[in-house]
Amino acid sequence: THAVCMCDDDNDLEMAMACNHAYIPEISSSSMKDIIDKHPDHFTQTGGEGHELSGTDSSEAALEMIFGSFESKLKDSSVQSETAITSEES
């Protein structure tokens, strides 16, 4: 799956684990922290304790990371398509 999500509390955990990656602006519970500690490669925390950002700034940082990831994948896909078309024309 290519799905990603942005979440912050326990009611989001099932969705977060079903997605390919989850972005966490801030941790709101100890159970959320426990899951993130068990699956560090699955989560990216952008704010809260131990981070420079908090509140809407950490949400904005998460959204920028998500959009940046999609933009990068679109560019890679475009390059692969152009390469395939060029190869077919040769």
Side-chain angles (χ1 to χ4, degrees):
T1 179
H2 298 287
V4 297
C5 67
M6 189 169 78
C7 56
D8 67 346
D9 56 27
D10 293 341
N11 67 339
D12 299 326
L13 284 176
E14 186 176 351
M15 173 185 64
M17 295 308 294
C19 289
N20 187 50
H21 194 81
Y23 294 84
I24 314 296
E26 292 188 52
I27 297 174
S28 62
S29 69
S30 60
S31 55
M32 183 69 123
K33 183 180 180 336
D34 292 343
I35 288 287
I36 293 168
D37 290 345
K38 288 179 186 174
H39 306 279
D41 293 338
H42 191 80
F43 295 92
T44 299
Q45 184 180 349
T46 59
E49 189 176 321
H51 293 80
E52 291 181 23
L53 302 175
S54 64
T56 57
D57 290 337
S58 59
S59 295
E60 186 175 330
L63 288 170
E64 287 176 359
M65 293 176 87
I66 292 168
F67 292 138
S69 173
F70 283 132
E71 186 175 70
S72 174
K73 288 178 183 178
L74 285 173
K75 285 180 183 176
D76 289 347
S77 176
S78 176
V79 168
Q80 290 174 357
S81 295
E82 288 176 18
T83 302
I85 290 169
T86 304
S87 296
E88 289 175 4
E89 291 175 352
S90 297

